[in-house]
Amino acid sequence: MRIEIPSTDATPYVLIDFANSVVEFAGESFPEDAAMFYEPLLSKIKEHLESNRDLNLAVNFKLSYFNSSSNKFFYKLFNMFEDASEFHKIGVNWYHLEEDDMSKEAGEAFSEEVEHIPFSFYTLESL
Amino acid sequence: MSAKEFHELEMFLENRNLLFCYHGFLSQSILTPLTKTLKAKIKAEDKPTQATNKVLYVFVELAQNIIRYSAVSDDIELNEEKCSKGSLAIGYYDGAFFCISGNVVTNRQAQHLLNQFESLRDKNSDELKFMFKQRLKDGPLEDSQGASLGLIEMARRSSKPIFYDFIDISDENKFFTLKITI
């Protein structure tokens, strides 16, 4: 399965590429209706994880900004990955700007919620 | 409104250290390009990156709260977007940015907000961080316990206690203002 959505001024670039073992979110996320944007993506990912076994997945988060409603969907996404970790190997790469403590803390909050998904943190000069 | 009155309004706003002030109908279609321009403008002011990111976060959160919850909204055809009435301002004073929002709310909404502010009162950054994690786990705010994720996140980015006020405007409604200092 491969889905690639270009970024807009309020929604992130999204790449879901199971053939290349990568899921990526990059840019900014503040849609008015986060459910409308994220629910379909979460469903597709969940469906694919449930109907396959032994996948390797790198999940890259390169978001310079995301609003509180997007936050809720990422939380859902990570819980989904946690459930899927029984049958798949999933790791998260969390990128944030060097001075952005809040983004780092958001990533850390997610990493503390999941036991079987390793999080790696990276700083960037710009996102 | 005469030119003189409009000029007086402008002076009124400028004298209160406001960089930007918007009053009227607000939608996501207005917010998105506004945020893009604001981001570039604040970056050009050469303030610290952390402060810039926090201002943008709070600005968007306040704006989307107006769009979502203002008791005065317009029924217009705009790709299913909501259009609501409110006011938003950003200022810079004494070395810090501040954001102010204002919109009409029902008495019920006002009570719900008051309960949330009460739960945020006097909380330090560790306690707010804990509330943030707890809200993520518990899901959307249903009852009167605690505060919404958006409010908690704004409180975390605020360098001073959140300032809020409710002014009676009718039997059913109040005018709600919220000020966040970054």
mmCIF file of all heavy atoms in Angstrom, chain A residues 9-10 28 30-32 65-69 71-72 75 97 99-102 105 109-110 112-113, chain B residues 28 32 35-36 39 49-50 53 57 60-61 64 67-68 81-82 132-133 136-137 149-150 156-157:
data_model
loop_
_atom_site.group_PDB
_atom_site.id
_atom_site.type_symbol
_atom_site.label_atom_id
_atom_site.label_comp_id
_atom_site.label_asym_id
_atom_site.label_seq_id
_atom_site.Cartn_x
_atom_site.Cartn_y
_atom_site.Cartn_z
ATOM 1 N N ASP A 9 -0.980 24.333 3.585
ATOM 2 C CA ASP A 9 -0.579 25.279 4.625
ATOM 3 C C ASP A 9 -1.045 24.861 6.016
ATOM 4 O O ASP A 9 -0.486 25.319 7.009
ATOM 5 C CB ASP A 9 -1.101 26.688 4.293
ATOM 6 C CG ASP A 9 -0.321 27.306 3.141
ATOM 7 O OD1 ASP A 9 0.853 26.934 2.962
ATOM 8 O OD2 ASP A 9 -0.893 28.155 2.426
ATOM 9 N N ALA A 10 -2.062 24.039 6.094
ATOM 10 C CA ALA A 10 -2.556 23.626 7.414
ATOM 11 C C ALA A 10 -2.470 22.123 7.666
ATOM 12 O O ALA A 10 -2.776 21.668 8.771
ATOM 13 C CB ALA A 10 -4.008 24.083 7.606
ATOM 14 N N GLU A 28 3.312 20.998 8.997
ATOM 15 C CA GLU A 28 2.465 21.527 10.060
ATOM 16 C C GLU A 28 1.106 20.863 10.026
ATOM 17 O O GLU A 28 0.656 20.432 8.968
ATOM 18 C CB GLU A 28 2.302 23.048 9.875
ATOM 19 C CG GLU A 28 3.603 23.787 10.024
ATOM 20 C CD GLU A 28 3.483 25.270 9.747
ATOM 21 O OE1 GLU A 28 2.484 25.694 9.141
ATOM 22 O OE2 GLU A 28 4.395 25.990 10.132
ATOM 23 N N PHE A 30 -2.664 21.721 11.473
ATOM 24 C CA PHE A 30 -3.727 22.376 12.217
ATOM 25 C C PHE A 30 -5.013 22.461 11.381
ATOM 26 O O PHE A 30 -5.600 23.522 11.207
ATOM 27 C CB PHE A 30 -3.313 23.760 12.763
ATOM 28 C CG PHE A 30 -2.868 24.786 11.734
ATOM 29 C CD1 PHE A 30 -3.743 25.771 11.278
ATOM 30 C CD2 PHE A 30 -1.557 24.812 11.277
ATOM 31 C CE1 PHE A 30 -3.326 26.740 10.355
ATOM 32 C CE2 PHE A 30 -1.139 25.771 10.353
ATOM 33 C CZ PHE A 30 -2.036 26.728 9.896
ATOM 34 N N PRO A 31 -5.468 21.290 10.901
ATOM 35 C CA PRO A 31 -6.732 21.316 10.140
ATOM 36 C C PRO A 31 -7.884 21.682 11.059
ATOM 37 O O PRO A 31 -7.801 21.472 12.263
ATOM 38 C CB PRO A 31 -6.874 19.870 9.647
ATOM 39 C CG PRO A 31 -6.102 19.053 10.614
ATOM 40 C CD PRO A 31 -4.987 19.917 11.098
ATOM 41 N N GLU A 32 -8.951 22.209 10.519
ATOM 42 C CA GLU A 32 -10.117 22.542 11.331
ATOM 43 C C GLU A 32 -10.728 21.259 11.870
ATOM 44 O O GLU A 32 -11.110 21.169 13.025
ATOM 45 C CB GLU A 32 -11.155 23.288 10.499
ATOM 46 C CG GLU A 32 -12.358 23.717 11.331
ATOM 47 C CD GLU A 32 -13.481 24.304 10.503
ATOM 48 O OE1 GLU A 32 -13.356 24.351 9.269
ATOM 49 O OE2 GLU A 32 -14.482 24.703 11.101
ATOM 50 N N TYR A 65 4.874 21.938 13.849
ATOM 51 C CA TYR A 65 3.769 22.407 14.684
ATOM 52 C C TYR A 65 2.541 21.517 14.486
ATOM 53 O O TYR A 65 2.225 21.142 13.367
ATOM 54 C CB TYR A 65 3.417 23.868 14.331
ATOM 55 C CG TYR A 65 2.074 24.274 14.852
ATOM 56 C CD1 TYR A 65 1.865 24.437 16.214
ATOM 57 C CD2 TYR A 65 0.984 24.411 14.001
ATOM 58 C CE1 TYR A 65 0.623 24.749 16.709
ATOM 59 C CE2 TYR A 65 -0.265 24.723 14.496
ATOM 60 C CZ TYR A 65 -0.440 24.890 15.848
ATOM 61 O OH TYR A 65 -1.675 25.178 16.341
ATOM 62 N N PHE A 66 1.855 21.171 15.588
ATOM 63 C CA PHE A 66 0.572 20.482 15.447
ATOM 64 C C PHE A 66 -0.357 20.923 16.569
ATOM 65 O O PHE A 66 0.044 21.067 17.717
ATOM 66 C CB PHE A 66 0.714 18.963 15.394
ATOM 67 C CG PHE A 66 1.544 18.335 16.471
ATOM 68 C CD1 PHE A 66 0.951 17.810 17.610
ATOM 69 C CD2 PHE A 66 2.919 18.222 16.318
ATOM 70 C CE1 PHE A 66 1.718 17.201 18.591
ATOM 71 C CE2 PHE A 66 3.689 17.617 17.297
ATOM 72 C CZ PHE A 66 3.090 17.109 18.436
ATOM 73 N N ASN A 67 -1.625 21.126 16.218
ATOM 74 C CA ASN A 67 -2.590 21.620 17.208
ATOM 75 C C ASN A 67 -3.096 20.483 18.100
ATOM 76 O O ASN A 67 -2.761 19.317 17.900
ATOM 77 C CB ASN A 67 -3.738 22.392 16.541
ATOM 78 C CG ASN A 67 -4.623 21.503 15.667
ATOM 79 O OD1 ASN A 67 -4.340 20.315 15.486
ATOM 80 N ND2 ASN A 67 -5.686 22.071 15.127
ATOM 81 N N SER A 68 -3.912 20.850 19.086
ATOM 82 C CA SER A 68 -4.330 19.858 20.081
ATOM 83 C C SER A 68 -5.185 18.752 19.468
ATOM 84 O O SER A 68 -5.074 17.588 19.863
ATOM 85 C CB SER A 68 -5.057 20.515 21.250
ATOM 86 O OG SER A 68 -6.157 21.261 20.791
ATOM 87 N N SER A 69 -6.025 19.077 18.472
ATOM 88 C CA SER A 69 -6.830 17.985 17.890
ATOM 89 C C SER A 69 -5.979 17.003 17.089
ATOM 90 O O SER A 69 -6.274 15.808 17.075
ATOM 91 C CB SER A 69 -8.001 18.479 17.039
ATOM 92 O OG SER A 69 -7.927 19.807 16.769
ATOM 93 N N ASN A 71 -2.950 16.276 17.903
ATOM 94 C CA ASN A 71 -2.288 15.570 18.997
ATOM 95 C C ASN A 71 -3.066 14.315 19.391
ATOM 96 O O ASN A 71 -2.504 13.235 19.586
ATOM 97 C CB ASN A 71 -2.219 16.517 20.191
ATOM 98 C CG ASN A 71 -1.019 16.272 21.059
ATOM 99 O OD1 ASN A 71 -0.525 15.158 21.156
ATOM 100 N ND2 ASN A 71 -0.536 17.307 21.702
ATOM 101 N N LYS A 72 -4.396 14.481 19.471
ATOM 102 C CA LYS A 72 -5.248 13.363 19.872
ATOM 103 C C LYS A 72 -5.160 12.205 18.886
ATOM 104 O O LYS A 72 -5.184 11.037 19.272
ATOM 105 C CB LYS A 72 -6.712 13.817 19.959
ATOM 106 C CG LYS A 72 -6.977 14.752 21.109
ATOM 107 C CD LYS A 72 -8.370 15.359 21.047
ATOM 108 C CE LYS A 72 -8.436 16.598 21.911
ATOM 109 N NZ LYS A 72 -9.649 17.379 21.726
ATOM 110 N N TYR A 75 -1.913 10.312 19.223
ATOM 111 C CA TYR A 75 -2.004 9.434 20.380
ATOM 112 C C TYR A 75 -2.695 8.135 19.999
ATOM 113 O O TYR A 75 -2.266 7.038 20.360
ATOM 114 C CB TYR A 75 -2.756 10.152 21.500
ATOM 115 C CG TYR A 75 -2.755 9.396 22.792
ATOM 116 C CD1 TYR A 75 -1.578 9.259 23.527
ATOM 117 C CD2 TYR A 75 -3.913 8.802 23.278
ATOM 118 C CE1 TYR A 75 -1.561 8.555 24.714
ATOM 119 C CE2 TYR A 75 -3.899 8.095 24.469
ATOM 120 C CZ TYR A 75 -2.727 7.978 25.177
ATOM 121 O OH TYR A 75 -2.712 7.284 26.343
ATOM 122 N N LEU A 97 12.954 20.746 16.284
ATOM 123 C CA LEU A 97 13.935 21.821 16.234
ATOM 124 C C LEU A 97 14.680 21.850 17.564
ATOM 125 O O LEU A 97 14.083 21.602 18.610
ATOM 126 C CB LEU A 97 13.253 23.167 15.990
ATOM 127 C CG LEU A 97 12.599 23.330 14.618
ATOM 128 C CD1 LEU A 97 11.743 24.582 14.591
ATOM 129 C CD2 LEU A 97 13.645 23.370 13.522
ATOM 130 N N GLU A 99 15.608 24.074 19.591
ATOM 131 C CA GLU A 99 15.098 24.889 20.696
ATOM 132 C C GLU A 99 13.661 24.547 21.072
ATOM 133 O O GLU A 99 13.083 25.164 21.946
ATOM 134 C CB GLU A 99 15.129 26.382 20.351
ATOM 135 C CG GLU A 99 16.258 26.836 19.469
ATOM 136 C CD GLU A 99 15.989 26.595 17.979
ATOM 137 O OE1 GLU A 99 14.875 26.154 17.611
ATOM 138 O OE2 GLU A 99 16.900 26.829 17.181
ATOM 139 N N ASP A 100 13.063 23.584 20.386
ATOM 140 C CA ASP A 100 11.643 23.320 20.617
ATOM 141 C C ASP A 100 11.423 22.251 21.687
ATOM 142 O O ASP A 100 11.206 21.086 21.387
ATOM 143 C CB ASP A 100 10.959 22.931 19.299
ATOM 144 C CG ASP A 100 9.456 23.034 19.390
ATOM 145 O OD1 ASP A 100 8.918 23.126 20.514
ATOM 146 O OD2 ASP A 100 8.795 23.006 18.334
ATOM 147 N N ASP A 101 11.443 22.695 22.938
ATOM 148 C CA ASP A 101 11.256 21.774 24.065
ATOM 149 C C ASP A 101 9.882 21.139 24.066
ATOM 150 O O ASP A 101 9.710 19.979 24.436
ATOM 151 C CB ASP A 101 11.417 22.520 25.407
ATOM 152 C CG ASP A 101 12.884 22.807 25.678
ATOM 153 O OD1 ASP A 101 13.739 22.201 25.011
ATOM 154 O OD2 ASP A 101 13.148 23.639 26.563
ATOM 155 N N MET A 102 8.868 21.927 23.669
ATOM 156 C CA MET A 102 7.495 21.432 23.733
ATOM 157 C C MET A 102 7.290 20.265 22.767
ATOM 158 O O MET A 102 6.597 19.307 23.083
ATOM 159 C CB MET A 102 6.498 22.551 23.416
ATOM 160 C CG MET A 102 6.722 23.791 24.251
ATOM 161 S SD MET A 102 5.373 24.167 25.375
ATOM 162 C CE MET A 102 5.506 22.844 26.519
ATOM 163 N N GLU A 105 8.955 17.272 24.273
ATOM 164 C CA GLU A 105 8.152 16.741 25.369
ATOM 165 C C GLU A 105 6.928 15.997 24.869
ATOM 166 O O GLU A 105 6.521 14.996 25.457
ATOM 167 C CB GLU A 105 7.723 17.873 26.310
ATOM 168 C CG GLU A 105 8.836 18.290 27.237
ATOM 169 C CD GLU A 105 8.443 19.415 28.171
ATOM 170 O OE1 GLU A 105 7.232 19.717 28.277
ATOM 171 O OE2 GLU A 105 9.346 19.995 28.786
ATOM 172 N N ALA A 109 6.152 12.231 25.737
ATOM 173 C CA ALA A 109 4.877 11.807 26.323
ATOM 174 C C ALA A 109 4.332 10.597 25.574
ATOM 175 O O ALA A 109 3.860 9.639 26.180
ATOM 176 C CB ALA A 109 3.861 12.947 26.290
ATOM 177 N N PHE A 110 4.413 10.637 24.252
ATOM 178 C CA PHE A 110 3.946 9.498 23.455
ATOM 179 C C PHE A 110 4.811 8.270 23.739
ATOM 180 O O PHE A 110 4.306 7.156 23.881
ATOM 181 C CB PHE A 110 4.006 9.807 21.950
ATOM 182 C CG PHE A 110 2.983 10.804 21.487
ATOM 183 C CD1 PHE A 110 3.345 11.850 20.651
ATOM 184 C CD2 PHE A 110 1.651 10.693 21.868
ATOM 185 C CE1 PHE A 110 2.410 12.774 20.206
ATOM 186 C CE2 PHE A 110 0.705 11.613 21.426
ATOM 187 C CZ PHE A 110 1.089 12.661 20.601
ATOM 188 N N GLU A 112 6.367 7.453 26.352
ATOM 189 C CA GLU A 112 6.111 6.883 27.676
ATOM 190 C C GLU A 112 4.825 6.070 27.708
ATOM 191 O O GLU A 112 4.606 5.267 28.602
ATOM 192 C CB GLU A 112 6.060 7.990 28.728
ATOM 193 C CG GLU A 112 7.445 8.519 29.089
ATOM 194 C CD GLU A 112 7.391 9.872 29.780
ATOM 195 O OE1 GLU A 112 6.344 10.211 30.366
ATOM 196 O OE2 GLU A 112 8.413 10.609 29.710
ATOM 197 N N GLU A 113 3.967 6.289 26.734
ATOM 198 C CA GLU A 113 2.696 5.584 26.692
ATOM 199 C C GLU A 113 2.803 4.214 26.034
ATOM 200 O O GLU A 113 1.904 3.383 26.191
ATOM 201 C CB GLU A 113 1.661 6.416 25.913
ATOM 202 C CG GLU A 113 1.070 7.558 26.702
ATOM 203 C CD GLU A 113 0.631 7.131 28.086
ATOM 204 O OE1 GLU A 113 -0.210 6.220 28.198
ATOM 205 O OE2 GLU A 113 1.155 7.677 29.073
ATOM 206 N N GLN B 28 -11.575 28.718 9.056
ATOM 207 C CA GLN B 28 -10.278 28.086 8.794
ATOM 208 C C GLN B 28 -9.650 28.694 7.538
ATOM 209 O O GLN B 28 -8.444 28.872 7.462
ATOM 210 C CB GLN B 28 -10.469 26.565 8.632
ATOM 211 C CG GLN B 28 -9.175 25.786 8.415
ATOM 212 C CD GLN B 28 -8.309 25.647 9.651
ATOM 213 O OE1 GLN B 28 -8.752 25.800 10.786
ATOM 214 N NE2 GLN B 28 -7.033 25.353 9.443
ATOM 215 N N THR B 32 -5.808 29.988 8.018
ATOM 216 C CA THR B 32 -4.635 29.341 7.427
ATOM 217 C C THR B 32 -3.652 30.336 6.801
ATOM 218 O O THR B 32 -2.478 30.346 7.182
ATOM 219 C CB THR B 32 -5.057 28.245 6.421
ATOM 220 O OG1 THR B 32 -5.885 27.312 7.096
ATOM 221 C CG2 THR B 32 -3.858 27.523 5.854
ATOM 222 N N THR B 35 -2.100 32.601 9.503
ATOM 223 C CA THR B 35 -1.050 31.959 10.293
ATOM 224 C C THR B 35 0.268 31.947 9.524
ATOM 225 O O THR B 35 1.336 32.193 10.085
ATOM 226 C CB THR B 35 -1.450 30.512 10.652
ATOM 227 O OG1 THR B 35 -2.708 30.536 11.325
ATOM 228 C CG2 THR B 35 -0.427 29.845 11.545
ATOM 229 N N LYS B 36 0.162 31.688 8.226
ATOM 230 C CA LYS B 36 1.363 31.641 7.384
ATOM 231 C C LYS B 36 2.067 33.007 7.379
ATOM 232 O O LYS B 36 3.287 33.099 7.547
ATOM 233 C CB LYS B 36 0.937 31.273 5.959
ATOM 234 C CG LYS B 36 2.072 30.968 5.015
ATOM 235 C CD LYS B 36 1.523 30.505 3.667
ATOM 236 C CE LYS B 36 2.659 30.321 2.680
ATOM 237 N NZ LYS B 36 2.162 29.890 1.364
ATOM 238 N N LYS B 39 3.516 33.859 10.868
ATOM 239 C CA LYS B 39 4.743 33.111 11.116
ATOM 240 C C LYS B 39 5.927 33.857 10.500
ATOM 241 O O LYS B 39 6.953 34.078 11.147
ATOM 242 C CB LYS B 39 4.616 31.727 10.483
ATOM 243 C CG LYS B 39 5.734 30.763 10.826
ATOM 244 C CD LYS B 39 5.428 29.394 10.230
ATOM 245 C CE LYS B 39 6.606 28.464 10.393
ATOM 246 N NZ LYS B 39 6.334 27.142 9.786
ATOM 247 N N THR B 49 13.242 31.698 18.713
ATOM 248 C CA THR B 49 12.417 30.679 18.027
ATOM 249 C C THR B 49 11.383 30.060 18.940
ATOM 250 O O THR B 49 10.245 29.821 18.550
ATOM 251 C CB THR B 49 13.309 29.559 17.465
ATOM 252 O OG1 THR B 49 14.385 30.143 16.772
ATOM 253 C CG2 THR B 49 12.540 28.653 16.529
ATOM 254 N N GLN B 50 11.781 29.771 20.183
ATOM 255 C CA GLN B 50 10.858 29.141 21.130
ATOM 256 C C GLN B 50 9.621 30.012 21.318
ATOM 257 O O GLN B 50 8.498 29.523 21.291
ATOM 258 C CB GLN B 50 11.540 28.994 22.495
ATOM 259 C CG GLN B 50 12.263 27.696 22.675
ATOM 260 C CD GLN B 50 11.765 26.928 23.878
ATOM 261 O OE1 GLN B 50 10.557 26.835 24.117
ATOM 262 N NE2 GLN B 50 12.662 26.390 24.656
ATOM 263 N N ASN B 53 7.364 29.968 18.179
ATOM 264 C CA ASN B 53 6.554 28.746 18.069
ATOM 265 C C ASN B 53 5.398 28.748 19.056
ATOM 266 O O ASN B 53 4.294 28.309 18.740
ATOM 267 C CB ASN B 53 7.421 27.502 18.305
ATOM 268 C CG ASN B 53 8.372 27.249 17.150
ATOM 269 O OD1 ASN B 53 8.163 27.743 16.044
ATOM 270 N ND2 ASN B 53 9.416 26.491 17.383
ATOM 271 N N TYR B 57 1.399 28.688 18.224
ATOM 272 C CA TYR B 57 0.565 27.621 18.784
ATOM 273 C C TYR B 57 -0.672 28.224 19.456
ATOM 274 O O TYR B 57 -1.803 27.817 19.203
ATOM 275 C CB TYR B 57 1.351 26.789 19.810
ATOM 276 C CG TYR B 57 0.545 25.606 20.301
ATOM 277 C CD1 TYR B 57 0.692 24.347 19.724
ATOM 278 C CD2 TYR B 57 -0.398 25.764 21.314
ATOM 279 C CE1 TYR B 57 -0.067 23.275 20.145
ATOM 280 C CE2 TYR B 57 -1.173 24.689 21.739
ATOM 281 C CZ TYR B 57 -1.004 23.456 21.151
ATOM 282 O OH TYR B 57 -1.771 22.397 21.553
ATOM 283 N N VAL B 60 -3.211 29.963 16.984
ATOM 284 C CA VAL B 60 -4.056 29.024 16.235
ATOM 285 C C VAL B 60 -5.082 28.361 17.158
ATOM 286 O O VAL B 60 -6.257 28.210 16.801
ATOM 287 C CB VAL B 60 -3.198 27.953 15.519
ATOM 288 C CG1 VAL B 60 -4.067 26.874 14.904
ATOM 289 C CG2 VAL B 60 -2.339 28.603 14.447
ATOM 290 N N GLU B 61 -4.645 27.985 18.349
ATOM 291 C CA GLU B 61 -5.548 27.333 19.296
ATOM 292 C C GLU B 61 -6.696 28.281 19.668
ATOM 293 O O GLU B 61 -7.862 27.873 19.683
ATOM 294 C CB GLU B 61 -4.743 26.943 20.542
ATOM 295 C CG GLU B 61 -5.328 25.812 21.355
ATOM 296 C CD GLU B 61 -5.284 24.455 20.658
ATOM 297 O OE1 GLU B 61 -4.324 24.142 19.937
ATOM 298 O OE2 GLU B 61 -6.257 23.696 20.855
ATOM 299 N N GLN B 64 -9.029 28.722 16.618
ATOM 300 C CA GLN B 64 -9.865 27.548 16.351
ATOM 301 C C GLN B 64 -10.917 27.355 17.445
ATOM 302 O O GLN B 64 -11.998 26.835 17.184
ATOM 303 C CB GLN B 64 -8.994 26.296 16.160
ATOM 304 C CG GLN B 64 -8.232 26.366 14.828
ATOM 305 C CD GLN B 64 -7.471 25.109 14.471
ATOM 306 O OE1 GLN B 64 -6.919 24.434 15.326
ATOM 307 N NE2 GLN B 64 -7.413 24.809 13.175
ATOM 308 N N ILE B 67 -13.689 29.673 16.362
ATOM 309 C CA ILE B 67 -14.417 29.078 15.233
ATOM 310 C C ILE B 67 -15.342 27.966 15.726
ATOM 311 O O ILE B 67 -16.500 27.873 15.345
ATOM 312 C CB ILE B 67 -13.442 28.536 14.163
ATOM 313 C CG1 ILE B 67 -12.647 29.687 13.537
ATOM 314 C CG2 ILE B 67 -14.190 27.775 13.069
ATOM 315 C CD1 ILE B 67 -11.464 29.268 12.673
ATOM 316 N N ARG B 68 -14.799 27.145 16.601
ATOM 317 C CA ARG B 68 -15.538 25.970 17.060
ATOM 318 C C ARG B 68 -16.627 26.309 18.078
ATOM 319 O O ARG B 68 -17.702 25.741 18.042
ATOM 320 C CB ARG B 68 -14.559 24.991 17.711
ATOM 321 C CG ARG B 68 -14.821 23.530 17.428
ATOM 322 C CD ARG B 68 -13.682 22.674 17.967
ATOM 323 N NE ARG B 68 -12.482 22.735 17.142
ATOM 324 C CZ ARG B 68 -11.228 22.843 17.619
ATOM 325 N NH1 ARG B 68 -11.004 22.884 18.907
ATOM 326 N NH2 ARG B 68 -10.204 22.890 16.804
ATOM 327 N N GLU B 81 -17.095 24.527 6.041
ATOM 328 C CA GLU B 81 -16.341 25.133 7.133
ATOM 329 C C GLU B 81 -17.262 25.915 8.028
ATOM 330 O O GLU B 81 -18.273 26.441 7.589
ATOM 331 C CB GLU B 81 -15.320 26.122 6.560
ATOM 332 C CG GLU B 81 -14.009 25.506 6.143
ATOM 333 C CD GLU B 81 -13.056 26.564 5.643
ATOM 334 O OE1 GLU B 81 -13.014 27.644 6.261
ATOM 335 O OE2 GLU B 81 -12.382 26.311 4.637
ATOM 336 N N LYS B 82 -16.847 26.009 9.275
ATOM 337 C CA LYS B 82 -17.611 26.817 10.216
ATOM 338 C C LYS B 82 -17.108 28.259 10.175
ATOM 339 O O LYS B 82 -15.915 28.499 9.996
ATOM 340 C CB LYS B 82 -17.406 26.259 11.629
ATOM 341 C CG LYS B 82 -18.693 25.824 12.309
ATOM 342 C CD LYS B 82 -18.543 25.651 13.795
ATOM 343 C CE LYS B 82 -19.693 26.320 14.526
ATOM 344 N NZ LYS B 82 -19.522 26.394 15.963
ATOM 345 N N PHE B 132 -1.499 17.126 31.044
ATOM 346 C CA PHE B 132 -1.437 16.933 29.591
ATOM 347 C C PHE B 132 -1.430 15.435 29.263
ATOM 348 O O PHE B 132 -2.229 14.954 28.458
ATOM 349 C CB PHE B 132 -0.189 17.638 29.050
ATOM 350 C CG PHE B 132 0.250 17.205 27.673
ATOM 351 C CD1 PHE B 132 -0.520 17.504 26.558
ATOM 352 C CD2 PHE B 132 1.433 16.502 27.481
ATOM 353 C CE1 PHE B 132 -0.117 17.115 25.276
ATOM 354 C CE2 PHE B 132 1.841 16.118 26.209
ATOM 355 C CZ PHE B 132 1.070 16.409 25.106
ATOM 356 N N LYS B 133 -0.555 14.685 29.927
ATOM 357 C CA LYS B 133 -0.456 13.241 29.661
ATOM 358 C C LYS B 133 -1.757 12.538 30.054
ATOM 359 O O LYS B 133 -2.218 11.628 29.364
ATOM 360 C CB LYS B 133 0.700 12.648 30.456
ATOM 361 C CG LYS B 133 2.060 13.024 29.932
ATOM 362 C CD LYS B 133 3.120 12.263 30.696
ATOM 363 C CE LYS B 133 4.494 12.717 30.300
ATOM 364 N NZ LYS B 133 5.535 12.004 31.070
ATOM 365 N N LEU B 136 -4.515 13.131 27.486
ATOM 366 C CA LEU B 136 -4.287 12.304 26.293
ATOM 367 C C LEU B 136 -4.847 10.909 26.534
ATOM 368 O O LEU B 136 -5.533 10.335 25.690
ATOM 369 C CB LEU B 136 -2.788 12.184 25.985
ATOM 370 C CG LEU B 136 -2.130 13.215 25.084
ATOM 371 C CD1 LEU B 136 -0.664 12.880 24.880
ATOM 372 C CD2 LEU B 136 -2.822 13.315 23.735
ATOM 373 N N LYS B 137 -4.552 10.372 27.730
ATOM 374 C CA LYS B 137 -4.992 9.012 28.071
ATOM 375 C C LYS B 137 -6.506 8.944 28.230
ATOM 376 O O LYS B 137 -7.149 8.021 27.756
ATOM 377 C CB LYS B 137 -4.363 8.589 29.405
ATOM 378 C CG LYS B 137 -3.042 7.839 29.250
ATOM 379 C CD LYS B 137 -2.648 7.164 30.543
ATOM 380 C CE LYS B 137 -1.624 7.979 31.279
ATOM 381 N NZ LYS B 137 -0.524 7.209 31.824
ATOM 382 N N LEU B 149 -7.464 19.481 26.378
ATOM 383 C CA LEU B 149 -6.074 19.398 25.946
ATOM 384 C C LEU B 149 -5.577 20.751 25.439
ATOM 385 O O LEU B 149 -4.480 21.188 25.771
ATOM 386 C CB LEU B 149 -5.958 18.344 24.836
ATOM 387 C CG LEU B 149 -4.551 17.841 24.534
ATOM 388 C CD1 LEU B 149 -4.003 17.027 25.687
ATOM 389 C CD2 LEU B 149 -4.553 16.993 23.271
ATOM 390 N N GLY B 150 -6.384 21.416 24.668
ATOM 391 C CA GLY B 150 -6.010 22.723 24.101
ATOM 392 C C GLY B 150 -5.700 23.754 25.178
ATOM 393 O O GLY B 150 -4.700 24.471 25.095
ATOM 394 N N ARG B 156 0.578 25.591 29.376
ATOM 395 C CA ARG B 156 1.973 25.162 29.411
ATOM 396 C C ARG B 156 2.900 26.130 28.693
ATOM 397 O O ARG B 156 4.083 26.217 28.969
ATOM 398 C CB ARG B 156 2.126 23.765 28.800
ATOM 399 C CG ARG B 156 1.492 22.661 29.642
ATOM 400 C CD ARG B 156 1.642 21.314 28.979
ATOM 401 N NE ARG B 156 2.999 20.841 29.076
ATOM 402 C CZ ARG B 156 3.563 19.971 28.235
ATOM 403 N NH1 ARG B 156 2.870 19.507 27.214
ATOM 404 N NH2 ARG B 156 4.798 19.571 28.407
ATOM 405 N N ARG B 157 2.355 26.850 27.736
ATOM 406 C CA ARG B 157 3.166 27.782 26.957
ATOM 407 C C ARG B 157 3.091 29.201 27.514
ATOM 408 O O ARG B 157 3.686 30.122 26.956
ATOM 409 C CB ARG B 157 2.713 27.775 25.492
ATOM 410 C CG ARG B 157 3.151 26.521 24.750
ATOM 411 C CD ARG B 157 2.319 26.285 23.502
ATOM 412 N NE ARG B 157 2.838 25.179 22.717
ATOM 413 C CZ ARG B 157 2.622 23.894 22.995
ATOM 414 N NH1 ARG B 157 1.901 23.561 24.046
ATOM 415 N NH2 ARG B 157 3.140 22.939 22.240
#
